[in-house]
Amino acid sequence: MADALKRDSTGLVAAIVQQFDTHEVLMLGWMDDEALHRTMTSGRVTFFSRSRQEYWRKGDTSGHVQWVKSLAMDCDGDALLVRVDQVGAACHTGTRTCFDGRELDAVVGHGG
């Protein structure tokens, strides 16, 4: 899988995290090859922190663990979908998802 990924200029790929049973989108993180390897071989999600320039395994300090259920690459190879069983809050702010309470006003489209 790592050979097929298209990374950004810093070697990272976006990893969308989704609750495996409800399909709720929880957060977005970033992975390089090592973070992806750790995620694929440990059963827990590891990210690369762009701000701290270090690896972090979700839940090591907060207890809000993400247990890997499946991993997929999108059709272009520039994003990952990590399906997890989330324990506790996914967001560092303490909310269930990083998108709670952050809705934007947008015109709602109507399809045929």
Side-chain angles (χ1 to χ4, degrees):
M1 180 189 293
D3 291 340
L5 287 176
K6 296 175 187 169
R7 297 159 192 80
D8 69 10
S9 61
T10 63
L12 300 175
V13 63
I16 302 158
V17 181
Q18 180 184 46
Q19 176 65 32
F20 82 102
D21 53 355
T22 65
H23 308 290
E24 179 180 29
V25 176
L26 301 172
M27 61 176 288
L28 172 79
W30 296 93
M31 292 185 182
D32 65 2
D33 289 344
E34 180 61 24
L36 178 58
H37 173 75
R38 292 181 189 189
T39 298
M40 292 179 73
T41 60
S42 71
R44 299 236 342 245
V45 181
T46 298
F47 298 103
F48 184 79
S49 170
R50 296 180 302 168
S51 60
R52 296 187 311 261
Q53 292 291 296
E54 65 184 19
Y55 296 102
W56 59 281
R57 190 169 68 167
K58 186 70 173 168
D60 278 354
T61 57
S62 67
H64 300 163
V65 176
Q66 292 176 340
W67 296 106
V68 176
K69 295 298 181 181
S70 68
L71 190 61
M73 181 174 47
D74 79 339
C75 60
D76 295 322
D78 59 3
L80 297 168
L81 177 61
V82 186
R83 291 183 182 101
V84 303
D85 189 8
Q86 175 71 48
V87 177
C91 188
H92 70 279
T93 65
T95 57
R96 171 73 180 163
T97 84
C98 292
F99 302 98
D100 284 346
R102 293 169 180 85
E103 290 81 12
L104 302 173
D105 284 335
V107 174
V108 177
H110 299 282

